Amino acid sequence: MAKADFEIPDIENGVSVPAIKPGAMAHVKYHAASEAHLSKLGFPAKRVDNWKEVALAKMNELMGKYKSLKLFLDVCVKCGACADKCHYFLGTGDPNNMPVARQELMRKVYRKNFTLGGKLFGGLARAEDLTEEVLREWMTYFHQCSQCRRCSVFCPFGIDTAEISMAAREIMDSIGVGQKYTLEIIAKVHDTGNNLGIPKDALIGTLEFLEEDVKEATGVDVKFPLDQKGAEVMLIVPSADFFSSPHVDSLVGYAKVFHAAGISYTFSSHASEFANFGMFIGSYDNTKKIATRIADAGRELGVKRIVVGECGHAYRVAYSFWNTLAGPFDYLDKNHAVPTHICEFTEELIRRNALRLDKSANDEFTVTYHDSCNVARASRMGTEPGGQFEIPRNILKAVCNKYVEMDPEANREKTFCCGGGGGLLSDELLEVRVKGAAPKAAALKEVMDNQGVNTMAMICAICKAQFTKVLPYYDIPMEAVAGVHQLVGNAIQLGGK
């Protein structure tokens, strides 16, 4: 790990509300998208000459399309309930990272151009035009929001900063001002079916290697099938699961579960990616295109179910939006949820004793669980309220002897984001990511110091990538990060070697 050239928050005694530091994070800029990626996704290749008029027209269009956006811009009373709830504010002290202040960057432009008071009284009504300086603020601070929605839990009006951030990014893309990281990834999905741009031949090679690796470790022929028509299940995972660590260990865990259950499944080379970064930039068209690719793949393969892997925001898109984006999924078995989360799938097998588990296989680990924000606050699992919290925990308790809860004020519906979600998982934003991770790192450190925790399990690919990168800045080893199905894979008994 390279030495940080910025100050690391002190988490030794938890994270408290910091002193206000105006402009503390104004220097952090994202890398601009290329003309090729902007135009490929349907945006102007570069900033248009009449950018202000185009931006305001787009803003007006979005307020007409999404009534909640206009409501959120109207109803804030500046009560301050959200002010100290954002992990980026707690980690940086920059007032523009208070949710209310971040919203105000758009709200002041809304007042100036769309309200009578703002048009008549300008600054007296806290209204401001969309100037070069305001656009720079948008470009900076709407890319210091991971769209985790924690602030909305505490807002008495339920104002969702994530929706405002998405709208701001969509407006900026519409004038030809985009972020390289998210737009480049979306373009790769459109070209290859996955975020990493993995061609089919490389995918085949990876899956064959994993079959050989698992055979060597267990003596069992666990299959990782690709494009197998007529399989019962299409399993779609974040593409990081094919190559990255610790993600790939959860992929092995999924395969072992299907093998043990005797249920046929397949990956798809056409849609080998579960993540959907279209949501991060607020683009309905791109979100729909990615979701439709998945629906088409399942239809083409003739599967009866779609089971999805460990990816937080992708599960939100699937759970909340798939049906309107790419439905109806009338070719699937109506007896199963669309989609079925891999945790729902595995927990149901555990409940009916369809898996043989040896919890002692994980005895070297004292495990806690991190609730990923898009699963915790924007979706659900199972048939009971709160299933998204209990089902992953039920699995962990079934496969581990030592399980510890973190502070509920930093987990469950109040969970702190990892700091890398919402399209922020790029190196030029490392300072934001490290500082934004401080509250969750502090919660983890507390159970590590006092209860012997050495492993934090999770069901989000971005959380895994983010924590393995930033936890070492807090003297927490990257090996503390694990997937839930990584631990399932350790415990599941497939037969002796």
Side-chain angles (χ1 to χ4, degrees):
M1 183 187 74
K3 185 178 179 182
D5 57 2
F6 48 84
E7 185 179 357
I8 307 296
D10 181 4
I11 63 167
E12 194 58 35
N13 299 304
V15 172
S16 54
V17 178
I20 299 292
K21 302 173 186 173
M25 299 302 289
H27 62 284
V28 179
K29 307 294 182 187
Y30 64 80
H31 291 169
S34 69
E35 294 184 5
H37 290 138
L38 280 160
S39 57
K40 184 177 181 62
L41 302 189
F43 305 120
K46 57 185 178 181
R47 198 173 84 170
V48 296
D49 292 337
N50 59 335
W51 64 272
K52 179 183 169 184
E53 289 75 16
V54 174
L56 293 176
K58 188 68 177 179
M59 189 172 175
N60 191 41
E61 175 194 327
L62 294 180
M63 288 190 296
K65 187 185 296 183
Y66 309 122
K67 301 301 182 187
S68 54
L69 176 62
K70 186 174 186 308
L71 180 69
F72 293 157
L73 293 174
D74 276 328
V75 301
C76 179
V77 295
K78 308 293 186 298
C79 69
C82 67
D84 60 350
K85 303 305 186 292
C86 176
H87 47 295
Y88 293 120
F89 171 67
L90 292 173
T92 69
D94 191 317
N96 276 337
N97 279 327
M98 293 179 180
V100 61
R102 187 181 290 110
Q103 296 162 18
E104 192 67 10
L105 298 176
M106 180 179 286
R107 199 171 276 125
K108 63 186 181 184
V109 175
Y110 163 70
R111 291 195 200 96
K112 177 66 179 178
N113 294 279
F114 298 97
T115 70
L116 181 61
K119 290 176 181 176
L120 291 176
F121 303 110
L124 293 175
R126 303 192 307 278
E128 190 172 340
D129 215 345
L130 183 56
T131 61
E132 288 279 356
E133 177 56 28
V134 171
L135 180 60
R136 277 194 291 272
E137 290 177 330
W138 281 33
M139 293 166 66
T140 301
Y141 291 104
F142 283 123
H143 287 89
Q144 293 184 26
C145 170
S146 59
Q147 303 172 350
C148 80
R149 308 177 77 236
R150 187 173 192 267
C151 51
S152 69
V153 172
F154 298 90
C155 175
F157 298 98
I159 295 173
D160 185 353
T161 305
E163 188 165 334
I164 295 175
S165 289
M166 291 172 192
R169 294 183 190 182
E170 187 171 7
I171 291 167
M172 287 188 279
D173 286 336
S174 76
I175 62 172
V177 176
Q179 182 209 26
K180 177 179 185 291
Y181 173 65
T182 48
L183 269 59
E184 184 174 343
I185 280 180
I186 294 169
K188 286 179 181 175
V189 179
H190 293 336
D191 285 340
T192 66
N194 61 73
N195 281 10
L196 300 180
I198 308 168
K200 183 176 180 179
D201 288 348
L203 193 57
I204 292 171
T206 297
L207 297 176
E208 289 176 348
F209 170 79
L210 289 171
E211 286 187 357
E212 293 169 4
D213 199 45
V214 174
K215 176 68 179 292
E216 184 178 341
T218 67
V220 178
D221 285 314
V222 174
K223 298 299 182 184
F224 292 75
L226 182 68
D227 295 337
Q228 184 174 303
K229 287 195 173 184
E232 180 168 343
V233 171
M234 182 175 80
L235 175 63
I236 183 160
V237 301
S239 53
D241 283 8
F242 295 118
F243 284 98
S244 300
S245 179
H247 308 64
V248 70
D249 295 317
S250 280
L251 187 78
V252 170
Y254 312 150
K256 288 182 176 179
V257 168
F258 281 104
H259 177 91
I263 297 173
S264 64
Y265 80 104
T266 185
F267 299 103
S268 163
S269 62
H270 180 68
S272 51
E273 179 62 69
F274 182 33
N276 194 328
F277 279 27
M279 184 181 75
F280 293 156
I281 62 168
S283 170
Y284 177 87
D285 291 342
N286 283 288
T287 309
K288 179 181 176 66
K289 190 173 179 180
I290 295 170
T292 301
R293 190 175 183 116
I294 295 169
D296 290 346
R299 187 179 292 105
E300 174 64 22
L301 289 168
V303 298
K304 298 175 183 175
R305 305 177 66 178
I306 297 178
V307 175
V308 300
E310 296 179 353
C311 186
H313 84 276
Y315 184 58
R316 180 188 180 191
V317 174
Y319 179 85
S320 300
F321 309 133
W322 263 10
N323 204 35
T324 51
L325 289 170
F329 289 81
D330 49 5
Y331 61 92
L332 299 176
D333 185 340
K334 294 181 173 55
N335 293 311
H336 301 290
V338 181
T340 300
H341 195 281
I342 188 67
C343 285
E344 295 174 295
F345 184 80
T346 299
E347 197 226 20
E348 195 269 337
L349 292 168
I350 292 172
R351 278 194 284 107
R352 56 185 178 85
N353 294 316
L355 300 179
R356 193 158 59 92
L357 301 169
D358 177 10
K359 299 168 75 169
S360 68
N362 285 315
D363 274 356
E364 65 185 287
F365 307 118
T366 300
V367 179
T368 191
Y369 180 68
H370 160 65
D371 287 287
S372 299
C373 44
N374 273 298
V375 177
R377 288 188 282 267
S379 57
R380 187 168 135 177
M381 292 183 198
T383 57
E384 300 296 324
Q388 72 272 31
F389 304 123
E390 303 308 326
I391 288 175
R393 286 172 169 80
N394 292 343
I395 294 173
L396 290 172
K397 291 171 186 174
V399 301
C400 301
N401 281 312
K402 293 176 284 188
Y403 178 79
V404 172
E405 282 288 352
M406 278 188 280
D407 181 357
E409 292 301 309
N411 225 9
R412 292 184 176 261
E413 68 270 18
K414 297 178 183 175
T415 190
F416 279 108
C417 174
C418 65
L424 273 61
L425 197 69
S426 55
D427 286 346
E428 75 272 19
L429 300 179
L430 183 62
E431 181 178 352
V432 179
R433 292 166 52 193
V434 170
K435 292 181 175 179
K440 181 55 66 123
L444 173 60
K445 189 78 164 41
E446 195 277 331
V447 291
M448 294 180 80
D449 290 348
N450 298 321
Q451 300 191 64
V453 166
N454 59 10
T455 300
M456 180 167 65
M458 57 202 71
I459 55 171
C460 177
I462 287 176
C463 293
K464 292 172 191 172
Q466 160 74 352
F467 282 133
T468 52
K469 177 81 172 183
V470 304
L471 286 181
Y473 287 90
Y474 296 100
D475 297 325
I476 298 172
M478 65 170 66
E479 291 78 12
V481 179
V484 167
H485 278 78
Q486 175 180 342
L487 299 168
V488 172
N490 292 344
I492 202 164
Q493 300 298 292
L494 302 174
K497 186 175 181 180

